[in-house]
Amino acid sequence: MDAAAAPTGPTAQRFYRHRLPVRLMHWINVLCLTILLMSGLQIFNAHPALYWGHDSSFATPWVSMGAEERDGRMVGVTRIAGHAFVTDGVLGVSASGRGGEPVARGFPSWATIPGPQWLSMGRHWHFFFAWLFVLNGAAYLLYSFFSGHLRRDLLPTREELRRIGASVRDHLLFRHPSGEAAKRYNVLQNLAYLAVIFVLLPLAVVAGMAMSPMLDSVLTGWVDLLGGRQSARTLHFLAATGLLLFVLVHVFEVVISGVWNQLRSMITGYYQVPQDSASRTRPRGVEETRERPVVSDDSRRQP
């Protein structure tokens, strides 16, 4: 090997990625979404079926989870648009936790809080954390708008939109950005966060409010815009499912791109920028300088 091309391992650059308000609101969202999901499944288990319209047509739900007698034993079956799927042990029928005997239940007890079957308390938990979630979301929107975080960090540029294909290819090949590119969102991240912030979350909140007869009596007629109260329940469930899928993909990306580095940046604010191949190779005799942590309001930071 030519001595002039020997790698020297430069000092990694630390970048101030997440400001304190973003970090606080992020962890409040983590708490709220976890409890909202699990308490929501508790509520759903009281009647594990979905309909479209104003009323519950019990004979023809478009989604249902239940138990059926097959070959002398109880089997969990999930029906979607008239098609039956055996989901025994997970949906429809799952172990009770007391001796492991099967019990008819939409979602398993480990996925529900505050207990395996406690509808009234589940509703209290759900409503309390729903309002906390709404207030935190409103604070995030205000902060993002007035601090420039929305314009600077979340809105993709035209050039980034033109590179959607390349971004999809990089994600499928598990290629992660390095150097300056690692300080910014890629276009898929931009679009995913914008869809969550301005589509899924508002839909979940509005559809959840539409299920309340009290709110409907205060301001009448608006529930019809969603197709009726049962349609609102279905939309609420679908929005929650979309949020769950987003969280699963988000956690997966955090794990495969460096879980400790990502967590540290969301706890302390500082992110260690991965170095590209060019920066990992430095000619011998060139003095290496230790770079200070970079704090930049102009670069794109993840929320």
Side-chain angles (χ1 to χ4, degrees), residues 194-210:
L194 290 174
V196 167
I197 294 170
F198 294 107
V199 179
L200 289 180
L201 292 180
L203 178 60
V205 171
V206 172
M209 295 174 66

Side-chain angles (χ1 to χ4, degrees), residues 31 63 76 79 88 93 146 150 179 190 201 203 214 231 284 286:
L31 173 66
V63 171
R79 296 184 179 275
D88 195 37
V93 172
F146 288 106
L150 176 63
N190 285 114
L201 292 180
L203 178 60
M214 182 182 68
S231 298
R284 184 181 298 276
V286 176

Side-chain angles (χ1 to χ4, degrees), residues 181-230:
K183 299 178 182 179
R184 303 184 298 274
Y185 275 139
N186 62 64
V187 64
L188 293 184
Q189 289 175 303
N190 285 114
L191 296 177
Y193 278 108
L194 290 174
V196 167
I197 294 170
F198 294 107
V199 179
L200 289 180
L201 292 180
L203 178 60
V205 171
V206 172
M209 295 174 66
M211 288 186 284
S212 171
M214 182 182 68
L215 292 177
D216 186 25
S217 64
V218 173
L219 184 62
T220 60
W222 66 278
V223 177
D224 295 336
L225 298 176
L226 298 177
R229 185 162 288 113
Q230 289 303 322

